[in-house]
Amino acid sequence: MGKFVVKTVPTGFMFNLKATNGQVIATSEVYTTEAACLNGVESVKKNAPIANLEDQTAEETVAATNPKFELYTDKKGEFRFRLKARNGEIIAASEGYASKASCENGIQSVRDNAPDAPVEQL
């Protein structure tokens, strides 16, 4: 089972969602308070399993409604995703992946791990 790891950073609080193997599969923004960070964790838990997928790398992008995962390519040509809540706010983002399939696996891993993941605070 995966887990959320909440940690203090110089400018506030953030979380990583780790897969069962310990690999980070999604990262949050930096929140100013621990309570806001924990709300972000709850938002990922709630939204990840029901989020639509908007593939922005497809020849024709079909807009999806929030909550959604946006799959896109960055400036380096790597595949990434971000999870947006119902209000359109980005609540989690991925690292860069070399292949689209790996990125899609990352999205599925967030869907699978987030809902029941315990929260560990460092």
Side-chain angles (χ1 to χ4, degrees):
M1 176 190 300
K3 66 181 174 181
F4 286 94
V5 178
V6 174
K7 61 184 178 180
T8 306
V9 293
T11 54
F13 300 86
M14 65 173 293
F15 66 81
N16 287 318
L17 173 58
K18 293 187 173 187
T20 309
N21 64 5
Q23 186 172 353
V24 174
I25 49 177
T27 301
S28 74
E29 65 179 358
V30 175
Y31 295 90
T32 53
T33 67
E34 186 176 18
C37 186
L38 292 172
N39 284 342
V41 167
E42 289 307 312
S43 187
V44 172
K45 286 182 169 211
K46 182 175 75 177
N47 288 295
I50 60 167
N52 296 302
L53 177 61
E54 182 176 292
D55 184 352
Q56 297 176 352
T57 68
E59 207 151 297
E60 285 189 42
T61 300
V62 178
T65 56
N66 292 327
K68 66 182 174 185
F69 283 98
E70 292 178 339
L71 192 158
Y72 65 100
T73 50
D74 65 16
K75 289 181 212 155
K76 289 196 259 176
E78 292 183 317
F79 292 89
R80 294 180 176 267
F81 67 81
R82 56 188 158 236
L83 174 59
K84 289 189 170 182
R86 286 190 194 283
N87 64 4
E89 291 286 316
I90 297 170
I91 51 177
S94 73
E95 63 182 10
Y97 292 92
S99 73
K100 183 175 178 177
S102 295
C103 189
E104 290 169 333
N105 287 343
I107 290 170
Q108 191 58 51
S109 187
V110 172
R111 289 186 196 278
D112 294 342
N113 285 285
D116 302 315
V119 178
E120 178 181 294
Q121 294 178 272
L122 298 180

